[in-house]
Amino acid sequence: MKRRHFLGLLGAAGVTLTTGTKAKASDAADVAGLPNAFGVLFDASRCIGCRKCEAACNTVNELPKPDKPFDDLTVLDTERRTTATAYTVVDKYTPKAGENPVFRKIQCNHCMEPACASACFVKALKKTETGAVVYDASLCVGCRYCMVACPFNIPAYEYNKALTPRVMKCTMCYPRIKEGKLPGCVEACPKEALQFGRRRDLLNIAWDRITANTDKYVSHVYGEHEMGGTSWLYIAPKPSFAALGMDEHLGTTPAPELTAGALTAVPAVVGIWPVLLTGLYAVSKRKDRIAEEEKKAAVEAAIAKASAEAEAKLAEELTKAEVAGKRRIEVEVKKALEAAAKTSEGGEDA
Amino acid sequence: MKNAKQRTGSLLVALALLGAGGLLSLMAGGGAARAQGDDKLRADILSIDELKKFGPLTQPPVVFLHDKHTAALGKQKQFYKKECGTCHLSDKDGTMFLAYQRDDKPMDADRIKETFHANCIGCHKKMAEDGMKAGPTDVQCKGCHNGNPDVASNWQPLVVDKKLHYRHAATQAESENKCGACHHIYDEAAGKTIAAPAPEKVPGACVYCHTESGTDVKGRKPEKIRSLRLATHGECVTCHRSIAAAGGKDVATGPTTCAGCHGPLDQKAIAETSRKKVPADADLRIKRGQPDFALVRPVKAEKPLVGADGKPIKDYGMPPVPFDHKYHESKNETCVSCHHAALTSCAACHTPAGDEKGGYVPLEAAMHKVEALQSCAGCHAAQQKKPECAGCHASMKKGVGDVSQCGSCHVPPQGALEQSVAEFMERRDKDAAAMAPGLAEKLLAGKRSETATIAVEDIPETVTLGSLAKDYQPSVLPHRKIVLSLVAGMKGDKLAGAFHATDTTVCQGCHHMSPASKTPPRCGNCHPAVEGTAATPRPTLKAAYHNQCMNCHTAMGISGKVADKAPGAKPVPKSTDCTGCHAAKKN
C-alpha cells in the first residue's frame, strides 16, 4: 500500500476522533460522580503491618491458604503485589533509616472511572453504584486488557487454570456491602487504619486528620483526584507517598478519557483494533510518565494535520477496496499508527 | 591576641598574620583530619560548582577536599612558602579573598572556568614535575569532574554553645575589651566597623548581621556585609591561626581545618575539652543586661473601649505572660534559640498585624506558632517529642489548639496582683519596665515545678478490658504501674510540672476529651463497640483501645523492649504481638 493511502486511513481515524462526541467510556459515563458511593480510607500512619486484613480477605473470599501463615510477619520483608489468590497484600517501607517502618495495603483502588472497565469490550468489569468495581467471569473472554489498562497493576490472572481462567482482584467485598456489612479487611483491622464509609465523608475525615496534624501527614489525599479519583483513599505520614512506593505522577485525568475516543467514536470493526490498542498503549505508557499528555497532543496534531487532505482519499480508498483487500488494510493501518506513535514518541525524547 | 582585637574593620581577613607558626597549625590540622577515622567520611568536601549560576552544568561538580590540600601544603615547606596565598589572592592591604585564585569582583563563566583549569592543573603538573605526589595532571575531565566520588560528607554545623562561649570569654578575660575581640558594631562616624565597646553594646549573634547569603546596605561603607560563612571562616580561622603564629606550638588554640570545626569526632573532642575546662559551678549565662524575669504584654486595643453601660472596659484581651527569662536561658544553648533575628523584643519585628520585618508573622503567631521552634508554643511542642512525653502527647492537640491551656501561660492575676497587672498594662514607660520583673516573679510563684498525680491508693491497680473479648481473653492493664512510670519519667521537669497543673492532668493522656476527675468515664461511653458503615471521625472501641495503647508504646520507643526495671520484667508488647496483651482463648 502506498504511503498516502496509510495517511488516508490515518486521517479517517483522526476525523472521527476529533469530530466525535465527547463521550466518556460507556461504563464510566453511567456512574459519573456516584455521590453516594462507598469507599475505604487507608491511613498509613495507623497501619502496624499485622496482616489481619490479608487473613480476613482470604477467609471472606474463600481463597486458598498461603504457603506461609498470615501471622508470619517475615513475609513483609519482601515487596509483593496482588495475585490471583491474594486480593490484598501489605508491604513494608522504611522511609527514614533507623526510624519505624511504615506499611501500605495494596488492593484494587476501585477507580471512579475505571480503566479496566473501559478497556473491557465485553463489559465483564463494571463500576457499581456502591463504588465497587466488580467482575463477571461469565462474560470475560480472557483478553487481559484490563491488566494492561490498570494504572495500579492490580488485576491478576489465573494462569494456572487451563480451562476457566479468571481475572482476579479485590471486589471491595461487594456481596458483603450489599448485605450492609463491612468489607472483610476493614472489619478485621485492629487499628482502624481502614475506614469504610461514603467516599465524600471519608474525604472530610481524611482532610480533618491532615489539618489537625500538619506536621505528621503529607498534605494530600491520594485517590481524591488520581486518575480521576478512586474509591480507595490513602493518607500517609511524611515524607511522601513515593516513600510508600506509590506513583505520585499519575495525574488527575480519568484513564478512560485516554481510550474513550477509541471505544465510542470508531464503530467499524476495521478500525477498532488498532485504535483500541493505541489507546491501551497510551494508558500503559502513562504509568511511566505524566508527559504522556504531551505525546497525545502530538499524536492528535499529527493526525489532524493529515486529515483534511486524506479525508477524500479515504472515501475513494474504501469504495475501491475489495473484501479480500480489507484484511491487508487493517494490517497496514496498524503499522502506520504504531509508526506514528513511535515517531511522536521519538520526537519528544529528542 | 593583639591582632585578634584589632581585626574588625575590613571586608576580609588580614593575611599578614600568617607566618611560619601558621605552618605548624596546618600540620596539626592534617592530623585532626586523619583522626576522623574513616577517610571516606569527611567534613572538608567542597563542591566546586560555581558555574551553576550561569546555567546547567555540563560536567559534574568537582569534589575538592580542602583539608587534604592544606595538609599537603603544610608538608611542602620549601615549595609552598606562600601557604594560603598559593590558592587565595589578597588585595594590596593584605586582605585575603576566600574565592579561589581571584578577588571578589564578578567574573564571567569562561574566566572562572579558566581560573580553575589553569591553576589547579598547572599546580598539579608543577608538583609532578618536581617529583612530588600530585592531583590529576591530564586533560581527562573525569579526573576531577567525578560524578561518583568515593567520599561522603559528614559535615556538621558548628554551634558556639554556652560552654564554648565561656571558654572564648575566658581567654579574652584579661584584655581591655573582651567582647570586642569577636563582636563588632558599625560606627557611623568612623564609617567602619569597630569593636563593641561594652557588653550592652554587643549586637548579639553573628547571624544577626551576617545573614546566610550576605547583604548590601546602601550608603554604608563598605556596603557589603559578608555572609555568615565568609565571616566565620574569615574571623575564626584567622584568629586561631594568628594565636598559633604568635605563640608557637605551646599555645593552645582553636581548630583551623574544616574537620576541626565541622567533623563529628572533633566536635565531640571540643565538647569533651569543654567539659574538663569549664568548672562545674561556672556561670555560663551570657550577660548583656537582660532581666531575670519578664512580663510579656498581650496586644492592647488601640482606642479605649467602652461597654454598653458606658463604663470603660479592660482594653487588652489576655492577662500578660510572666516569663522566667533566666530559667529559659539555662535550658537553651544560645540566645538565637529564641531571639533568632535580633536581641530586641519580639514585638519590634512581629507587629500585631504582621510586618515585612517579621516575615509577616503577627505577634500572636510569633508566640503561638506550633511549627516554629522560636515561638513559645513551638518550642514547648518540640519538648513534647521527647520519648517520655511523646506517649501521651503524640495524639494530643498542640499549642493554641488546646485552649484549656491558655491560663498556663497567661496566668490570671489574683487578689492584689490584679490591680498591679492592670496598672502595668496601662503604662508604656520606663516604670512599667521596672515593675515587670517583680510582678512576673510574683505571678510565677504559684506555679508547680514538679508533676504530681492523685494518691497512689486512689489509682486503680489493674483495669480489665473485656467488653469486646471474642477471639482473645480480656486484656488486663497494669494501670497503676503505667501511671507511676509516666510520672517517674517527668521527674525534675519544670516544664512538665508547670503545665500538668492539676493532679488529674496526667490522667488526661489516656482519659482524654472528658472532664478530668478521679473517676473518668469509661471508654465505651464515647467509642461505640460496633463499627458501622457510616464513617465517623471518632474511632470505634476496638480501634480506640488499640490506638491509645500501641501508639503510646511506639511513641515512647518501648514497644518490644523491657522498660520495667524490676527483676523478671516482661517486655512491653509489640503492636503485632496480640497475646502480649490479651491471652489466647482456649477452645
Side-chain angles (χ1 to χ4, degrees), chain A residues 46 48 50 52 73 100 180 182 186-192 195-197 202 205, chain B residues 385 472 531-533 535-537 539-540 542-543 546-547 550-551 554 575-576 578:
Chain A
R46 294 189 177 190
I48 52 174
C50 66
K52 296 274 182 209
L73 300 181
N100 289 327
L182 293 170
V186 175
E187 194 179 76
C189 182
K191 289 265 286 167
E192 231 167 85
Q195 201 166 6
F196 183 82
L202 294 176
I205 290 173
Chain B
K385 288 185 178 141
Y472 296 93
E531 195 175 347
T533 53
T536 60
T540 54
K542 180 172 73 174
H546 285 137
N547 270 333
M550 293 175 185
N551 288 6
T554 309
S575 298
T576 47
C578 306

Side-chain angles (χ1 to χ4, degrees), chain B residues 56-96:
Chain B
L57 296 174
T58 54
Q59 285 284 343
V62 173
V63 173
F64 177 84
L65 305 178
H66 198 280
D67 281 350
K68 201 176 168 185
H69 280 82
T70 40
L73 274 175
K75 285 177 200 156
Q76 313 300 327
K77 282 182 193 169
Q78 294 308 310
F79 193 73
Y80 285 101
K81 277 188 174 166
K82 291 198 295 172
E83 279 214 304
C84 302
T86 306
C87 296
H88 297 284
L89 304 182
S90 354
D91 67 10
K92 59 182 187 318
D93 304 326
T95 306
M96 190 177 87

Side-chain angles (χ1 to χ4, degrees), chain A residues 24-93:
Chain A
K24 297 197 171 181
S26 50
D27 287 304
D30 294 345
V31 294
L34 280 182
N36 286 317
F38 289 109
V40 177
L41 171 64
F42 174 74
D43 186 337
S45 74
R46 294 189 177 190
C47 180
I48 52 174
C50 66
R51 302 187 69 211
K52 296 274 182 209
C53 51
E54 288 187 44
C57 180
N58 182 281
T59 310
V60 164
N61 292 298
E62 294 169 355
L63 298 169
K65 288 287 160 217
D67 296 341
K68 287 186 181 175
F70 286 107
D71 55 9
D72 182 353
L73 300 181
T74 60
V75 170
L76 297 168
D77 296 336
T78 320
E79 191 162 339
R80 297 175 295 156
R81 53 160 293 184
T82 52
T83 67
T85 55
Y87 298 167
T88 184
V89 293
V90 174
D91 274 354
K92 182 164 85 175
Y93 300 87

Side-chain angles (χ1 to χ4, degrees), chain B residues 48-53 55-61:
Chain B
I48 302 178
D49 54 4
E50 277 183 75
L51 294 186
K52 75 179 175 194
K53 64 187 172 199
L57 296 174
T58 54
Q59 285 284 343

